[in-house]
């Protein structure tokens, strides 16, 4: 039998994964009344230029996003994002428009229905977030954001160097 020792780093990682999974399930409960998933909601938030999204903070978009940019931002395959976009197009929550400069490129934007869904969900999101984080001070929340940002930066450095996934 394999012996695995207790390890704070491994425990921390499992806690973060459990937290993310729980938030996704809670998000699905919020969005189900609108016939969408959390992942579809996140795409709508990207297209609404939500200023809280890290990717959009680091990569401001002067034009509506393309599928390729969404795939990169969400770290999913082109095939995966195409399927998600097709679902949102079928639900008439987004529109696909030709780029003004290059008609071969398709840009995505919220439809009126998509904007209505985002607008309807925003107060629900705010209320849920207030409840979720009510027991934390502003300092604790900012500290957690800094912690997560540092983790992401460290992972990016290791990913860029080819270190992630290699054994010593």
């Amino acid at each position: 039998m394999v012996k695995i020792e207790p390890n704070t780093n491994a425990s921390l990682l499992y806690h973060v994964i459990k937290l993310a999974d729980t938030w996704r399930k809670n998000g699905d409960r919020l969005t189900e009344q609108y016939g969408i998933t959390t992942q579809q909601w996140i795409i709508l938030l990207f297209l609404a230029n939500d200023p809280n999204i890290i990717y959009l903070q680091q990569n401001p978009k002067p034009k509506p996003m393309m599928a390729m940019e969404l795939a990169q931002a969400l770290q999913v395959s082109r095939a995966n994002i195409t399927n998600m976009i097709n679902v949102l197009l079928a639900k008439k929550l987004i529109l696909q428009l030709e780029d003004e400069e290059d008609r071969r490129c398709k840009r995505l934007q919220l439809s009126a229905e998509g904007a209505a869904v985002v607008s309807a969900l925003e107060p629900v999101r705010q209320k849920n977030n207030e409840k979720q984080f009510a027991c934390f001070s502003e300092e604790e929340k900012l500290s957690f954001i800094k912690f997560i940002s540092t983790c992401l930066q460290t992972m990016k450095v290791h990913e860029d160097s080819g270190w992630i996934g290699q054994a010593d």
Side-chain angles (χ1 to χ4, degrees):
M1 186 160 146
V2 175
K3 174 88 167 125
I4 299 175
E5 296 295 326
N7 179 292
T8 303
N9 293 334
S11 182
L12 176 62
L13 187 59
Y14 286 123
H15 278 80
V16 170
I17 290 168
K18 176 69 173 170
L19 181 61
D21 288 345
T22 302
W23 277 334
R24 182 165 308 259
K25 287 177 187 169
N26 289 344
D28 285 340
R29 283 190 211 111
L30 294 177
T31 59
E32 69 186 353
Q33 65 184 323
Y34 296 93
I36 61 173
T37 65
T38 301
Q39 196 165 29
Q40 292 165 354
W41 183 23
I42 290 170
I43 290 171
L44 297 179
L45 290 171
F46 266 91
L47 299 181
N49 286 313
D50 183 335
N52 302 295
I53 296 175
I54 298 168
Y55 180 85
L56 294 176
Q57 292 168 0
Q58 296 170 345
N59 305 280
K61 299 294 175 195
K63 292 182 172 184
M65 293 181 83
M66 293 187 292
M68 170 184 61
E69 294 169 320
L70 265 175
Q72 178 185 4
L74 296 170
Q75 297 181 330
V76 298
S77 69
R78 176 80 168 131
N80 192 339
I81 200 67
T82 298
N83 289 336
M84 289 187 277
I85 288 168
N86 286 339
V87 169
L88 292 170
L89 286 167
K91 292 180 180 190
K92 300 185 185 323
L93 297 176
I94 64 172
L95 303 170
Q96 196 170 39
L97 309 169
E98 287 181 355
D99 184 89
E100 294 173 3
E101 296 166 13
D102 185 348
R103 293 182 164 211
R104 294 171 299 170
C105 296
K106 304 293 184 216
R107 297 209 172 263
L108 303 167
Q109 74 177 38
L110 290 177
S111 66
E113 294 90 344
V117 168
V118 171
S119 292
L121 278 166
E122 190 58 22
V124 176
R125 172 169 79 156
Q126 294 300 327
K127 184 178 178 183
N128 261 326
N129 288 350
E130 287 298 322
K131 286 180 183 177
Q132 173 73 44
F133 300 114
C135 63
F136 298 101
S137 70
E138 192 68 14
E139 183 180 327
E140 288 171 316
K141 290 184 267 188
L142 292 172
S143 179
F144 188 63
I145 290 171
K146 183 177 179 184
F147 172 79
I148 296 295
S149 295
T150 302
C151 287
L152 291 171
Q153 289 169 0
T154 302
M155 289 175 73
K156 177 76 172 126
V157 167
H158 291 314
E159 183 181 295
D160 291 348
S161 71
W163 180 82
I164 288 184
Q166 294 181 0
D168 286 338

